[in-house]
Amino acid sequence: MMQSYLIKNANIVNENKVFKGDVLIEGNYIKQVSEEIINTSGAEVINAEGKYLIPGMIDDQVHFREPGLTHKANIATESKAAIAGGITSFIEMPNTVPQATTQELLEEKFQIASKTSYANYSFMFGGTNDNLEELLKTDSQNVAGIKLFLGSSTGNMLVDNEEVLEKIFSSTDMLISVHCEDEATIRKNTAEYKGKYGDDIPVKYHPIIRSEEACYLSSSKAIELAKKTGARLHIFHLSTEKETHLFRNDIPLEEKQITAEVCVHHLWFTDVDYDKKGTHIKWNPAVKTQKDKDGLWKALLDDRIDVIATDHAPHTLEEKDNVYTKAPSGGPLVQHAVLAILEKVKEGVLPIEKAVEKMCHNPAKLFKVYKRGFIKEGFYADLVLVDNEKWTVSKDNILYKCGWSPFEGTEFSNKITHTFVNGNLMYDNGVFDEQIKGARLEFNK
Protein backbone atom coordinates (compact mmCIF):
# COMPACT_ATOMS: atom_id res chain seq x y z
CA MET A 1 0.00 0.00 0.00
CA MET A 2 1.07 3.57 -0.68
CA GLN A 3 2.20 5.77 2.19
CA SER A 4 -0.33 8.41 3.30
CA TYR A 5 0.88 11.92 4.12
CA LEU A 6 -0.55 14.74 6.20
CA ILE A 7 0.90 18.14 5.39
CA LYS A 8 0.30 20.42 8.41
CA ASN A 9 0.25 24.20 8.85
CA ALA A 10 1.08 25.08 5.23
CA ASN A 11 0.37 28.39 3.54
CA ILE A 12 -1.83 26.86 0.84
CA VAL A 13 -2.02 28.77 -2.45
CA ASN A 14 -5.00 27.80 -4.58
CA GLU A 15 -7.65 29.49 -6.75
CA ASN A 16 -6.69 33.07 -5.92
CA LYS A 17 -6.46 32.48 -2.14
CA VAL A 18 -3.68 31.94 0.38
CA PHE A 19 -4.79 30.29 3.62
CA LYS A 20 -3.16 28.36 6.43
CA GLY A 21 -4.25 24.76 6.52
CA ASP A 22 -3.63 21.03 6.22
CA VAL A 23 -3.75 18.61 3.29
CA LEU A 24 -4.24 14.85 3.62
CA ILE A 25 -2.89 12.66 0.82
CA GLU A 26 -4.18 9.10 0.47
CA GLY A 27 -3.05 6.94 -2.44
CA ASN A 28 -2.65 9.02 -5.58
CA TYR A 29 -5.13 11.68 -4.51
CA ILE A 30 -5.82 14.62 -2.25
CA LYS A 31 -8.24 13.19 0.31
CA GLN A 32 -8.92 16.33 2.36
CA VAL A 33 -8.09 20.04 2.45
CA SER A 34 -9.02 21.83 5.66
CA GLU A 35 -7.91 24.42 8.21
CA GLU A 36 -7.10 21.54 10.54
CA ILE A 37 -7.07 17.78 9.96
CA ILE A 38 -6.75 15.34 12.89
CA ASN A 39 -4.44 12.49 11.95
CA THR A 40 -6.63 9.43 12.46
CA SER A 41 -5.22 7.40 9.56
CA GLY A 42 -1.61 7.02 10.69
CA ALA A 43 -0.35 9.23 7.86
CA GLU A 44 3.24 10.45 7.88
CA VAL A 45 3.14 14.06 9.11
CA ILE A 46 5.11 16.78 7.35
CA ASN A 47 5.25 20.04 9.30
CA ALA A 48 5.02 22.81 6.68
CA GLU A 49 4.99 25.76 9.11
CA GLY A 50 6.19 28.87 7.26
CA LYS A 51 6.19 27.11 3.87
CA TYR A 52 4.03 27.64 0.81
CA LEU A 53 2.14 24.64 -0.56
CA ILE A 54 1.39 25.06 -4.26
CA PRO A 55 0.13 22.73 -7.01
CA GLY A 56 2.90 21.27 -9.14
CA MET A 57 3.61 23.39 -12.21
CA ILE A 58 2.32 22.04 -15.53
CA ASP A 59 4.96 23.04 -18.08
CA ASP A 60 3.26 23.18 -21.47
CA GLN A 61 6.46 23.40 -23.52
CA VAL A 62 9.68 21.41 -23.06
CA HIS A 63 12.27 19.74 -25.28
CA PHE A 64 13.70 16.71 -23.45
CA ARG A 65 15.70 15.54 -26.53
CA GLU A 66 14.71 11.88 -26.52
CA PRO A 67 14.92 10.04 -28.85
CA GLY A 68 17.92 10.88 -30.97
CA LEU A 69 19.55 13.84 -29.17
CA THR A 70 20.32 12.19 -25.86
CA HIS A 71 23.87 13.56 -25.64
CA LYS A 72 22.09 16.81 -24.64
CA ALA A 73 19.38 15.41 -22.35
CA ASN A 74 16.87 12.61 -21.93
CA ILE A 75 13.45 12.14 -20.40
CA ALA A 76 14.89 10.63 -17.18
CA THR A 77 17.47 13.36 -16.47
CA GLU A 78 15.25 16.31 -17.35
CA SER A 79 12.11 15.05 -15.63
CA LYS A 80 14.23 14.56 -12.50
CA ALA A 81 15.44 18.17 -12.74
CA ALA A 82 11.81 19.24 -13.29
CA ILE A 83 10.66 17.45 -10.11
CA ALA A 84 13.42 19.17 -8.10
CA GLY A 85 12.17 22.44 -9.62
CA GLY A 86 8.51 21.94 -8.67
CA ILE A 87 7.29 20.91 -12.15
CA THR A 88 5.17 17.78 -11.79
CA SER A 89 3.79 17.52 -15.36
CA PHE A 90 5.26 18.41 -18.74
CA ILE A 91 4.21 18.50 -22.39
CA GLU A 92 7.11 17.72 -24.70
CA MET A 93 7.64 18.89 -28.26
CA PRO A 94 7.88 16.76 -31.42
CA ASN A 95 11.24 17.96 -32.84
CA THR A 96 13.30 15.00 -31.68
CA VAL A 97 15.14 12.54 -33.96
CA PRO A 98 13.11 11.02 -35.49
CA GLN A 99 10.40 13.67 -35.21
CA ALA A 100 7.05 12.71 -33.72
CA THR A 101 5.18 13.20 -36.99
CA THR A 102 3.52 9.78 -37.23
CA GLN A 103 1.28 8.10 -34.63
CA GLU A 104 3.77 5.23 -34.31
CA LEU A 105 6.71 7.54 -33.57
CA LEU A 106 4.59 9.55 -31.13
CA GLU A 107 3.61 6.39 -29.26
CA GLU A 108 7.27 5.34 -29.03
CA LYS A 109 7.95 8.50 -27.03
CA PHE A 110 5.08 7.67 -24.68
CA GLN A 111 6.59 4.22 -24.18
CA ILE A 112 10.00 5.68 -23.27
CA ALA A 113 8.38 8.08 -20.78
CA SER A 114 6.31 5.32 -19.15
CA LYS A 115 9.57 3.61 -18.16
CA THR A 116 11.78 6.62 -17.36
CA SER A 117 9.83 9.81 -16.53
CA TYR A 118 9.70 10.92 -12.91
CA ALA A 119 7.12 13.59 -13.77
CA ASN A 120 3.71 13.17 -15.43
CA TYR A 121 3.98 13.52 -19.18
CA SER A 122 2.36 14.14 -22.50
CA PHE A 123 3.69 14.83 -25.98
CA MET A 124 2.56 16.91 -28.93
CA PHE A 125 2.08 15.56 -32.42
CA GLY A 126 4.16 17.46 -34.98
CA GLY A 127 2.52 18.87 -38.07
CA THR A 128 4.44 19.17 -41.35
CA ASN A 129 3.64 20.27 -44.90
CA ASP A 130 2.68 16.71 -45.82
CA ASN A 131 1.26 14.72 -42.87
CA LEU A 132 -2.32 15.99 -42.50
CA GLU A 133 -3.85 12.52 -42.80
CA GLU A 134 -1.62 11.23 -39.99
CA LEU A 135 -2.23 14.34 -37.89
CA LEU A 136 -6.00 13.78 -38.00
CA LYS A 137 -5.58 10.36 -36.35
CA THR A 138 -4.37 12.02 -33.10
CA ASP A 139 -6.50 11.08 -30.07
CA SER A 140 -7.41 14.22 -28.12
CA GLN A 141 -8.11 12.23 -24.92
CA ASN A 142 -4.53 10.94 -24.78
CA VAL A 143 -2.39 13.56 -26.56
CA ALA A 144 -1.92 17.17 -25.44
CA GLY A 145 -2.24 18.78 -28.85
CA ILE A 146 -0.68 19.62 -32.21
CA LYS A 147 2.57 21.59 -32.58
CA LEU A 148 3.39 23.63 -35.67
CA PHE A 149 6.62 25.49 -36.33
CA LEU A 150 5.82 28.61 -38.33
CA GLY A 151 9.43 29.75 -37.94
CA SER A 152 12.60 27.80 -38.71
CA SER A 153 12.95 24.39 -37.12
CA THR A 154 14.95 21.22 -37.46
CA GLY A 155 14.38 18.84 -40.35
CA ASN A 156 11.13 19.27 -42.28
CA MET A 157 9.04 20.67 -39.44
CA LEU A 158 8.71 24.20 -40.84
CA VAL A 159 5.11 24.50 -42.03
CA ASP A 160 5.35 27.20 -44.69
CA ASN A 161 2.74 26.03 -47.21
CA GLU A 162 -0.23 28.36 -46.60
CA GLU A 163 -2.72 26.02 -48.22
CA VAL A 164 -1.61 23.16 -45.93
CA LEU A 165 -1.68 25.46 -42.92
CA GLU A 166 -5.28 26.45 -43.62
CA LYS A 167 -6.23 22.79 -44.07
CA ILE A 168 -4.71 21.88 -40.68
CA PHE A 169 -6.46 24.80 -38.96
CA SER A 170 -9.78 23.87 -40.61
CA SER A 171 -9.58 20.11 -40.09
CA THR A 172 -8.78 19.54 -36.41
CA ASP A 173 -10.60 20.55 -33.25
CA MET A 174 -7.48 19.84 -31.19
CA LEU A 175 -5.51 22.66 -29.63
CA ILE A 176 -2.87 23.88 -32.11
CA SER A 177 0.27 25.33 -30.51
CA VAL A 178 2.54 27.40 -32.72
CA HIS A 179 6.04 28.83 -32.78
CA CYS A 180 5.64 32.15 -34.60
CA GLU A 181 8.57 33.81 -36.37
CA ASP A 182 8.48 34.85 -40.02
CA GLU A 183 11.09 32.80 -41.87
CA ALA A 184 11.58 35.19 -44.82
CA THR A 185 12.29 38.12 -42.49
CA ILE A 186 14.82 36.09 -40.47
CA ARG A 187 16.62 34.83 -43.60
CA LYS A 188 16.90 38.36 -44.96
CA ASN A 189 18.26 39.74 -41.67
CA THR A 190 20.68 36.82 -41.23
CA ALA A 191 22.10 37.35 -44.72
CA GLU A 192 22.61 41.05 -43.99
CA TYR A 193 24.53 40.43 -40.76
CA LYS A 194 26.53 37.54 -42.23
CA GLY A 195 27.57 39.93 -44.96
CA LYS A 196 28.96 42.27 -42.29
CA TYR A 197 30.46 39.80 -39.81
CA GLY A 198 30.64 36.35 -41.42
CA ASP A 199 29.74 33.55 -38.97
CA ASP A 200 30.98 35.44 -35.91
CA ILE A 201 28.02 37.84 -35.62
CA PRO A 202 27.98 39.53 -32.18
CA VAL A 203 25.16 37.81 -30.27
CA LYS A 204 23.68 41.20 -29.29
CA TYR A 205 22.28 41.33 -32.84
CA HIS A 206 20.22 38.17 -32.28
CA PRO A 207 17.04 40.13 -31.34
CA ILE A 208 17.51 42.33 -34.40
CA ILE A 209 17.94 39.32 -36.71
CA ARG A 210 15.01 37.48 -35.12
CA SER A 211 13.20 40.76 -34.85
CA GLU A 212 9.97 42.15 -33.44
CA GLU A 213 8.76 42.37 -37.03
CA ALA A 214 9.45 38.65 -37.64
CA CYS A 215 7.46 37.70 -34.53
CA TYR A 216 4.54 40.05 -35.09
CA LEU A 217 4.14 39.16 -38.78
CA SER A 218 3.88 35.47 -37.96
CA SER A 219 1.71 35.78 -34.82
CA SER A 220 -0.79 38.14 -36.44
CA LYS A 221 -1.08 35.88 -39.50
CA ALA A 222 -1.69 32.79 -37.31
CA ILE A 223 -4.36 34.63 -35.31
CA GLU A 224 -6.05 35.83 -38.51
CA LEU A 225 -6.15 32.24 -39.77
CA ALA A 226 -7.53 30.95 -36.46
CA LYS A 227 -10.31 33.54 -36.56
CA LYS A 228 -11.11 32.62 -40.17
CA THR A 229 -11.22 28.85 -39.53
CA GLY A 230 -12.42 28.74 -35.90
CA ALA A 231 -9.31 26.80 -34.86
CA ARG A 232 -8.28 26.57 -31.20
CA LEU A 233 -4.91 28.37 -31.24
CA HIS A 234 -2.23 28.69 -28.53
CA ILE A 235 0.78 30.88 -29.32
CA PHE A 236 3.97 29.82 -27.60
CA HIS A 237 6.70 32.02 -26.11
CA LEU A 238 5.63 35.59 -26.85
CA SER A 239 8.73 37.81 -26.81
CA THR A 240 7.55 41.28 -27.86
CA GLU A 241 5.37 43.98 -26.34
CA LYS A 242 3.75 44.52 -29.75
CA GLU A 243 2.40 40.96 -29.94
CA THR A 244 0.65 41.24 -26.58
CA HIS A 245 -1.96 43.58 -28.11
CA LEU A 246 -3.19 40.75 -30.34
CA PHE A 247 -4.82 39.00 -27.35
CA ARG A 248 -7.99 39.52 -25.33
CA ASN A 249 -8.52 39.84 -21.58
CA ASP A 250 -12.22 40.70 -21.56
CA ILE A 251 -13.47 37.09 -21.43
CA PRO A 252 -12.62 34.15 -19.11
CA LEU A 253 -9.86 31.76 -20.16
CA GLU A 254 -12.41 28.96 -20.66
CA GLU A 255 -14.10 31.00 -23.41
CA LYS A 256 -10.93 31.98 -25.27
CA GLN A 257 -10.27 30.41 -28.67
CA ILE A 258 -6.88 32.12 -28.95
CA THR A 259 -4.46 32.03 -26.01
CA ALA A 260 -0.85 32.98 -25.31
CA GLU A 261 2.15 31.78 -23.33
CA VAL A 262 5.25 33.57 -22.07
CA CYS A 263 8.47 31.85 -21.00
CA VAL A 264 10.55 32.51 -17.91
CA HIS A 265 13.60 33.71 -19.84
CA HIS A 266 11.62 36.44 -21.62
CA LEU A 267 10.37 37.63 -18.21
CA TRP A 268 13.85 37.57 -16.63
CA PHE A 269 16.52 38.58 -19.18
CA THR A 270 16.84 41.49 -21.64
CA ASP A 271 19.21 42.34 -24.50
CA VAL A 272 21.53 44.02 -21.95
CA ASP A 273 22.36 40.51 -20.65
CA TYR A 274 23.94 39.36 -23.95
CA ASP A 275 27.17 41.13 -22.98
CA LYS A 276 27.62 38.89 -19.94
CA LYS A 277 25.75 35.71 -20.92
CA GLY A 278 26.47 35.58 -24.67
CA THR A 279 25.07 32.58 -26.54
CA HIS A 280 23.97 31.01 -23.22
CA ILE A 281 20.84 33.19 -23.51
CA LYS A 282 20.42 32.70 -27.26
CA TRP A 283 16.84 31.52 -27.67
CA ASN A 284 14.30 31.53 -30.50
CA PRO A 285 12.40 33.80 -30.28
CA ALA A 286 15.16 36.06 -28.99
CA VAL A 287 15.32 37.78 -25.62
CA LYS A 288 14.59 41.38 -26.57
CA THR A 289 14.43 44.85 -24.97
CA GLN A 290 13.45 46.12 -21.53
CA LYS A 291 10.34 47.61 -23.18
CA ASP A 292 9.41 44.15 -24.46
CA LYS A 293 10.01 42.56 -21.06
CA ASP A 294 7.89 45.23 -19.34
CA GLY A 295 5.13 44.72 -21.92
CA LEU A 296 5.13 40.95 -21.36
CA TRP A 297 4.80 41.42 -17.59
CA LYS A 298 1.95 43.89 -18.09
CA ALA A 299 0.10 41.46 -20.40
CA LEU A 300 0.68 38.57 -17.99
CA LEU A 301 -0.73 40.56 -15.10
CA ASP A 302 -3.80 41.82 -17.00
CA ASP A 303 -4.55 38.34 -18.44
CA ARG A 304 -3.81 38.89 -22.12
CA ILE A 305 -1.09 36.25 -21.55
CA ASP A 306 -2.49 33.09 -19.99
CA VAL A 307 0.40 30.74 -19.18
CA ILE A 308 4.01 30.78 -17.95
CA ALA A 309 6.21 27.97 -19.34
CA THR A 310 9.91 27.19 -19.77
CA ASP A 311 10.62 26.09 -23.36
CA HIS A 312 13.36 24.03 -21.66
CA ALA A 313 15.72 23.17 -24.53
CA PRO A 314 19.17 22.01 -23.40
CA HIS A 315 22.34 21.91 -25.49
CA THR A 316 25.84 20.98 -24.37
CA LEU A 317 28.25 23.77 -23.42
CA GLU A 318 30.45 22.68 -26.31
CA GLU A 319 27.54 23.35 -28.69
CA LYS A 320 26.56 26.65 -27.06
CA ASP A 321 30.11 28.00 -26.94
CA ASN A 322 30.32 28.33 -30.71
CA VAL A 323 30.26 31.41 -32.92
CA TYR A 324 26.80 32.90 -33.42
CA THR A 325 25.70 31.03 -36.55
CA LYS A 326 26.85 27.66 -35.17
CA ALA A 327 25.60 28.05 -31.57
CA PRO A 328 22.13 26.46 -31.29
CA SER A 329 19.26 28.35 -29.67
CA GLY A 330 17.74 27.15 -26.41
CA GLY A 331 18.72 26.53 -22.82
CA PRO A 332 17.84 24.44 -19.75
CA LEU A 333 15.23 25.90 -17.38
CA VAL A 334 12.96 23.36 -15.64
CA GLN A 335 14.94 23.16 -12.38
CA HIS A 336 14.86 26.92 -11.81
CA ALA A 337 11.70 28.27 -13.48
CA VAL A 338 9.29 28.11 -10.52
CA LEU A 339 11.90 29.69 -8.24
CA ALA A 340 12.62 32.45 -10.76
CA ILE A 341 8.92 33.37 -10.80
CA LEU A 342 8.74 33.17 -6.98
CA GLU A 343 11.67 35.59 -6.87
CA LYS A 344 9.49 38.04 -8.80
CA VAL A 345 6.74 37.40 -6.22
CA LYS A 346 9.20 38.39 -3.47
CA GLU A 347 10.14 41.53 -5.46
CA GLY A 348 6.45 42.50 -5.59
CA VAL A 349 6.16 42.12 -9.38
CA LEU A 350 3.20 39.72 -9.08
CA PRO A 351 1.17 38.13 -6.27
CA ILE A 352 1.83 34.46 -5.53
CA GLU A 353 -1.84 33.69 -6.34
CA LYS A 354 -1.27 35.04 -9.88
CA ALA A 355 1.98 33.07 -10.25
CA VAL A 356 0.15 29.83 -9.33
CA GLU A 357 -2.70 30.69 -11.69
CA LYS A 358 -0.32 31.09 -14.65
CA MET A 359 1.97 28.13 -13.88
CA CYS A 360 -0.52 25.59 -12.55
CA HIS A 361 -4.24 26.39 -12.90
CA ASN A 362 -4.27 27.87 -16.40
CA PRO A 363 -2.24 25.16 -18.19
CA ALA A 364 -4.67 22.64 -16.65
CA LYS A 365 -7.68 24.62 -17.88
CA LEU A 366 -6.24 25.46 -21.28
CA PHE A 367 -5.23 21.88 -22.15
CA LYS A 368 -8.19 20.41 -20.20
CA VAL A 369 -5.82 18.27 -18.10
CA TYR A 370 -7.79 15.74 -16.06
CA LYS A 371 -7.74 16.37 -12.27
CA ARG A 372 -4.45 18.25 -12.04
CA GLY A 373 -3.22 21.79 -11.50
CA PHE A 374 -5.24 22.54 -8.34
CA ILE A 375 -5.19 21.70 -4.62
CA LYS A 376 -8.66 20.14 -4.50
CA GLU A 377 -10.15 17.09 -2.86
CA GLY A 378 -10.34 14.23 -5.37
CA PHE A 379 -7.56 15.66 -7.56
CA TYR A 380 -4.19 13.99 -8.07
CA ALA A 381 -1.75 14.94 -5.31
CA ASP A 382 0.78 16.82 -7.44
CA LEU A 383 2.06 19.18 -4.76
CA VAL A 384 5.14 21.28 -4.00
CA LEU A 385 6.40 22.69 -0.70
CA VAL A 386 8.50 25.86 -0.89
CA ASP A 387 10.62 27.12 2.01
CA ASN A 388 11.94 30.62 2.60
CA GLU A 389 15.65 29.73 2.32
CA LYS A 390 18.38 31.38 0.27
CA TRP A 391 20.64 29.39 -2.04
CA THR A 392 22.76 30.04 -5.12
CA VAL A 393 22.66 28.17 -8.43
CA SER A 394 26.07 26.61 -9.16
CA LYS A 395 27.56 23.77 -11.19
CA ASP A 396 27.46 21.40 -8.22
CA ASN A 397 23.68 21.68 -7.68
CA ILE A 398 22.55 21.64 -11.33
CA LEU A 399 20.71 18.44 -12.31
CA TYR A 400 20.46 18.91 -16.10
CA LYS A 401 22.40 16.39 -18.17
CA CYS A 402 24.06 19.31 -20.00
CA GLY A 403 25.50 20.49 -16.65
CA TRP A 404 24.95 24.24 -16.96
CA SER A 405 22.25 26.86 -16.43
CA PRO A 406 21.67 30.46 -17.57
CA PHE A 407 20.87 31.11 -13.88
CA GLU A 408 24.35 30.13 -12.62
CA GLY A 409 25.40 32.62 -9.95
CA THR A 410 21.80 33.68 -9.23
CA GLU A 411 20.75 33.69 -5.57
CA PHE A 412 17.16 32.59 -5.03
CA SER A 413 15.24 33.45 -1.85
CA ASN A 414 13.17 30.24 -1.87
CA LYS A 415 13.96 26.55 -2.02
CA ILE A 416 11.76 23.62 -3.02
CA THR A 417 11.88 21.04 -0.22
CA HIS A 418 9.25 18.45 -1.21
CA THR A 419 7.60 17.45 -4.47
CA PHE A 420 4.71 14.97 -4.61
CA VAL A 421 3.71 13.34 -7.90
CA ASN A 422 0.45 11.37 -7.84
CA GLY A 423 0.68 11.20 -4.05
CA ASN A 424 4.22 9.82 -4.08
CA LEU A 425 6.91 11.83 -2.31
CA MET A 426 9.29 11.90 -5.28
CA TYR A 427 11.65 14.59 -3.97
CA ASP A 428 12.48 15.21 -0.33
CA ASN A 429 15.16 17.80 0.49
CA GLY A 430 17.48 16.74 -2.32
CA VAL A 431 16.70 13.00 -2.17
CA PHE A 432 14.74 11.35 -5.01
CA ASP A 433 12.57 8.25 -4.92
CA GLU A 434 13.78 6.69 -8.16
CA GLN A 435 11.59 3.58 -7.87
CA ILE A 436 8.40 5.38 -8.84
CA LYS A 437 7.53 6.96 -12.19
CA GLY A 438 5.05 9.61 -13.32
CA ALA A 439 1.83 8.92 -15.23
CA ARG A 440 0.55 9.72 -18.70
CA LEU A 441 -1.64 12.82 -18.63
CA GLU A 442 -5.29 12.44 -19.58
CA PHE A 443 -7.47 15.18 -21.04
CA ASN A 444 -11.16 16.08 -20.67
CA LYS A 445 -11.79 16.67 -24.35
Side-chain angles (χ1 to χ4, degrees):
M1 273 182 66
M2 283 178 67
Q3 175 70 53
S4 296
Y5 296 93
L6 178 57
I7 301 169
K8 296 284 292 178
N9 308 311
N11 296 312
I12 300 167
V13 188
N14 190 59
E15 294 187 289
N16 211 28
K17 292 190 188 110
V18 182
F19 61 97
K20 191 160 185 178
D22 301 349
V23 173
L24 178 63
I25 300 168
E26 282 189 6
N28 297 133
Y29 301 99
I30 296 167
K31 173 78 172 171
Q32 192 180 353
V33 182
S34 181
E35 283 185 14
E36 187 177 14
I37 299 171
I38 308 300
N39 188 12
T40 56
S41 59
E44 182 180 323
V45 176
I46 295 172
N47 181 14
E49 186 75 45
K51 295 184 182 184
Y52 281 119
L53 181 67
I54 64 173
M57 179 176 171
I58 300 171
D59 191 348
D60 78 355
Q61 187 189 183
V62 302
H63 303 262
F64 281 178
R65 306 303 192 196
E66 190 171 10
L69 299 164
T70 51
H71 67 287
K72 301 174 194 277
N74 60 51
I75 290 169
T77 58
E78 308 315 282
S79 65
K80 200 173 180 182
I83 292 297
I87 294 169
T88 53
S89 299
F90 65 83
I91 297 171
E92 209 259 359
M93 300 298 107
N95 55 332
T96 42
V97 180
Q99 297 155 351
T101 54
T102 70
Q103 297 302 324
E104 187 182 358
L105 291 169
L106 179 66
E107 197 51 43
E108 281 174 18
K109 290 177 75 167
F110 277 108
Q111 290 307 311
I112 295 167
S114 70
K115 297 180 181 74
T116 64
S117 182
Y118 296 99
N120 304 314
Y121 53 88
S122 194
F123 298 90
M124 285 201 178
F125 183 89
T128 69
N129 281 328
D130 52 15
N131 74 340
L132 178 62
E133 195 179 323
E134 194 71 8
L135 182 151
L136 293 177
K137 295 176 190 170
T138 311
D139 181 354
S140 63
Q141 304 288 318
N142 287 311
V143 178
I146 307 298
K147 171 70 183 284
L148 303 179
F149 288 90
L150 309 186
S152 56
S153 176
T154 48
N156 71 330
M157 290 205 70
L158 175 64
V159 184
D160 55 0
N161 181 321
E162 295 202 7
E163 197 180 317
V164 168
L165 203 54
E166 184 158 345
K167 264 190 189 162
I168 294 172
F169 273 57
S170 304
S171 305
T172 181
D173 58 1
M174 288 192 76
L175 183 145
I176 301 168
S177 295
V178 289
H179 175 136
C180 287
E181 290 183 285
D182 182 67
E183 187 61 18
T185 303
I186 293 164
R187 282 184 184 153
K188 176 179 159 289
N189 293 342
T190 305
E192 183 186 328
Y193 279 87
K194 272 191 89 167
K196 285 183 191 172
Y197 296 101
D199 283 327
D200 199 6
I201 300 167
V203 72
K204 67 180 180 181
Y205 294 119
H206 187 54
I208 298 167
I209 292 168
R210 301 189 84 95
S211 62
E212 174 195 82
E213 180 197 13
C215 294
Y216 188 82
L217 258 176
S218 185
S219 295
S220 53
K221 196 184 286 186
I223 288 169
E224 197 180 310
L225 187 56
K227 286 177 177 174
K228 179 183 173 183
T229 58
R232 174 66 187 87
L233 179 67
H234 183 49
I235 297 193
F236 276 156
H237 45 45
L238 289 193
S239 64
T240 72
E241 189 272 339
K242 188 176 183 181
E243 287 171 286
T244 65
H245 299 289
L246 295 166
F247 300 90
R248 296 177 64 175
N249 63 356
D250 59 333
I251 54 172
L253 175 60
E254 291 86 346
E255 292 175 27
K256 289 186 182 183
Q257 278 292 100
I258 297 165
T259 51
E261 170 212 275
V262 67
C263 291
V264 171
H265 46 284
H266 292 120
L267 295 171
W268 188 277
F269 299 104
T270 71
D271 55 359
V272 171
D273 297 306
Y274 286 114
D275 284 346
K276 187 177 175 189
K277 296 281 185 181
T279 55
H280 291 199
I281 61 163
K282 185 188 179 206
W283 276 282
N284 297 342
V287 165
K288 296 186 175 69
T289 66
Q290 184 67 45
K291 176 178 175 280
D292 289 310
K293 179 177 153 181
D294 292 345
L296 293 168
W297 274 111
K298 189 168 188 286
L300 184 74
L301 290 163
D302 73 15
D303 297 334
R304 281 172 290 148
I305 295 177
D306 306 290
V307 167
I308 297 172
T310 69
D311 193 15
H312 173 90
H315 301 281
T316 65
L317 274 176
E318 188 183 5
E319 291 166 330
K320 287 296 272 186
D321 290 342
N322 264 305
V323 294
Y324 176 81
T325 56
K326 294 186 170 61
S329 292
L333 280 164
V334 289
Q335 190 183 344
H336 305 107
V338 171
L339 293 170
I341 296 302
L342 292 179
E343 202 62 30
K344 296 301 177 186
V345 170
K346 184 173 184 289
E347 290 170 15
V349 178
L350 79 166
I352 192 162
E353 300 94 321
K354 182 67 81 172
V356 165
E357 178 188 294
K358 302 294 183 178
M359 294 190 294
C360 314
H361 301 338
N362 283 3
K365 287 180 181 178
L366 198 147
F367 285 89
K368 298 186 167 72
V369 182
Y370 179 65
K371 287 193 172 179
R372 299 189 192 276
F374 295 84
I375 302 178
K376 281 185 182 177
E377 293 173 4
F379 272 53
Y380 286 104
D382 295 343
L383 300 168
V384 177
L385 275 171
V386 185
D387 202 3
N388 182 24
E389 183 187 337
K390 289 184 176 178
W391 69 290
T392 301
V393 180
S394 63
K395 290 272 187 227
D396 61 1
N397 55 36
I398 289 168
L399 295 170
Y400 311 126
K401 187 173 183 182
C402 65
W404 67 276
S405 165
F407 283 109
E408 277 172 62
T410 301
E411 183 184 73
F412 288 125
S413 307
N414 293 291
K415 195 170 204 174
I416 287 158
T417 59
H418 300 73
T419 304
F420 291 87
V421 181
N422 304 314
N424 299 299
L425 182 53
M426 300 283 271
Y427 177 79
D428 180 357
N429 290 288
V431 178
F432 292 89
D433 184 344
E434 297 190 8
Q435 303 308 305
I436 301 164
K437 300 297 182 285
R440 182 170 179 161
L441 296 177
E442 298 170 84
F443 304 94
N444 289 317
K445 293 174 187 170

